[in-house]
Every structure is written in C-alpha cells, then in structure tokens.
Amino acid sequence: MSKRGPSPPPFEGTLIKRVKSDAPPSNQIAISSSNDPRNKGLIRAVQRTSGLEAPIVSLAGAHSVPLWRTYPPNTNYGLISSLTKAPILDLQWSLSSPVLYTVSADHLLSTVDLTTGQRLRKIRAHREIINTIDRTFAAGTELLATGSDDGTVKIWEGGEDAGKQAVATFELNCPVTSVCWSADGANVYIGALDNEIHVYDIRKNEQVYSLKGHTDTPTSLSLSPNGSFLLSPSFSSQTLIHDVRPFSPSANRIHRALQGAPAGFENTLLRGAWSKDDGGQRVAVGGADRTVTIWEVESGKILYKLPGHKGTVTSVDFHPKEPIILTGSKDGTMLLGEIEAGTAA
C-alpha cells in the first residue's frame, strides 16, 4: 500500500488560484515559490495591446548603430559600423530618402545609405563635440540642424546629394545641448547652457524670442505631434512643456511643469518624447533612477514608472501607430514595452 507524499505547505494569508492546463500561456503570468509546479498560481491576466512578441522585449548585443526589427523575430538585421572612432551622440532618420544622419563626439556629421550600409557623406561640421541633430522637410527640401559645444547651430541641406557647406550658422556664445524644428520648418528651437530655449527664424537669420522657466540646462527638445507644444527635460530634474503656438494664453508660455524623472549628477542629455498613437496625450522622459516616467499631459499626473534597466535611461521614443515605448540606457540595452492604448484626440 503506497502512501501519498506530503502536501505542499500552504501560503499563509494568500489565496492561490490554480492555473488551468488549457489557459493561454501568452496572456498569463504565474508565480512559484519552489520548483514544484503545483505551487504555481495565476496572479494576473495580461491584456495585450500591441503586435510585440511579448509585453516586454529586450534588445542587446550589438554596438555602433544596430538596426532591429520591432516585431518578431526581433532580430538585429543590420549593423552600421566604422562610421567614427568617437561615440555617436544623436541620430535621425531622413524624411525623404533611405539614409540615416548621425553626429558624434569627433565633430562629424555623417550620412549613411541604409540600403548598402555605406557612408555617403562625412563633414567636420563643428569645432567641438556635436550633441544634437534634427531634420525637417520644408519647401521641397530636407534641412538638418546640428548643435555643438562650440556654441553654434548650423543648418545643412539633407539628402543623398547635398553639399558640404552649411547654409546658415547661428552663434549662441554658449554650448548647445538640443535642437528641434518647428512644424512648418520656419523656426528652430535651441536649448543651451544658459538655461534658455532660443527660437531662431531661419528666413530672417535671427533670434525672434526665447522660452524661459528652466533653472538648469535643458537636455533635449521634442515637438508635439500637432506642433503646438515643446517638451524639454533639464538637469534640474524638472520637465517643462512650452506652448509654442503663435498666440499663447500664457505669458510665460509654460503649459505644464512635470516632476518625477531625476536627472542625476552625471549631466547626461536625457531625451524625451511624445506619444503618437493618441495624438500626443502622453509624454515620457528617462531618468537616473533607471526608470522611464510617462505623464498624462492634460493633468500632469504620472501614469507609469517603468523599470527594467540597470543604468540611467538616456533615450525614449514611442511607436507611431501602436502603444509601444522604446527605451535606451547606459546599461547597453534597449527595451520595447507595451503600455495601455491611448484615446486619439
């Protein structure tokens, strides 16, 4: 006569719900306190909101400029290397052709053909480190703006056949940390070490006004999908949303002041972003606490503090059509993650 083995010890004060064998594994999370499968309990059913293979996908294992697939299989399908010996500090996809623009710490602006992986153009664009680049498409021409520690912002023609001479130069007399084009491509917003955001009209070739409110250097600039608001994190750990409409109801043009993403003490140029699937109702900024913070713009409240990285989260962006967020960190990894779907305005 055989005896049954002892029953697994119960969890005190915890109700365990057994996982059914026919339950869909991709939509459930189970937890176990031991190797005994009988101890697994269903703790949450996950409502999927995107086409990702899993709610969180880690991308790691490549250097220089790796190219990854968003959807399964999440393979590293391309690697653009040997562009520069110095770190690449910012990059942008072209709006008009299959090329990628990069700027680096060795003062170079590079243009790379994404179909062949070959560099088409290399320009020693500034005298010091180039921190930032942005692009726009106006009057049938793609334009680039680059900002540098040498205190200048330069405007370049983009595309595969562009020249190597800047078409305009703005002198700010202090290091430039971030640049961003207006929606119509007529103005360029410039964040600088003087804690201000300078607005230059490229047709007049002069500054037309400035945005104030930061008590420390703005680290990045990002324009809302409707072109009306400008997101700017800063070294003070305060993130401001400026109203850049021609006629703002606010005298100081500050639409929201957001707290929750610590900048830390490394003076890292943290980059923020606007959600796109809901028309810009949410914004996100990474932080030195190894998380990314997502706020609701209208109320200013924090919706998410997303963990997962082992170092400062330096960069963040949203998927153009789905509720997916991409984060990059000093730990050398990127994370793709689902969030709840927004409601388009």
Side-chain angles (χ1 to χ4, degrees), residues 214-260:
H214 280 300
T215 58
D216 209 336
T217 304
T219 61
S220 68
L221 300 173
S222 178
L223 193 67
S224 63
N226 64 6
S228 298
F229 300 97
L230 189 69
L231 177 70
S232 62
S234 72
F235 286 153
S236 70
S237 300
Q238 183 182 58
T239 297
L240 296 181
I241 298 178
H242 299 273
D243 188 337
V244 293
R245 292 174 292 184
F247 302 99
S248 172
S250 173
N252 61 10
R253 290 187 173 269
I254 296 177
H255 180 66
R256 291 286 182 273
L258 308 173
Q259 299 283 354

Side-chain angles (χ1 to χ4, degrees), residues 311-335:
T312 298
V313 179
T314 58
S315 188
V316 59
D317 204 358
F318 287 88
H319 191 280
K321 296 180 180 179
E322 290 198 271
I324 298 172
I325 189 167
L326 173 67
T327 60
S329 167
K330 284 189 173 183
D331 64 13
T333 67
M334 297 187 295
L335 294 178

Side-chain angles (χ1 to χ4, degrees), residues 103-109 123-132 145-156 166 168-170 176 179:
V103 293
S104 51
D106 56 0
H107 321 162
L108 294 180
L109 164 63
I123 303 172
R124 191 161 296 279
H126 290 269
R127 300 184 305 275
E128 299 290 343
I129 292 172
I130 308 176
N131 295 309
T132 177
T146 57
S148 167
D149 279 356
D150 65 11
T152 66
V153 169
K154 294 187 178 183
I155 310 300
W156 313 83
T169 300
F170 305 134
V176 173
V179 295

Side-chain angles (χ1 to χ4, degrees), residues 193-211:
L193 206 64
D194 61 1
N195 305 347
E196 295 187 15
I197 299 170
H198 305 265
V199 185
Y200 275 76
D201 187 319
I202 65 168
R203 295 164 297 187
K204 298 179 181 178
N205 205 36
E206 64 181 21
Q207 181 173 324
V208 288
Y209 66 95
S210 65
L211 299 169

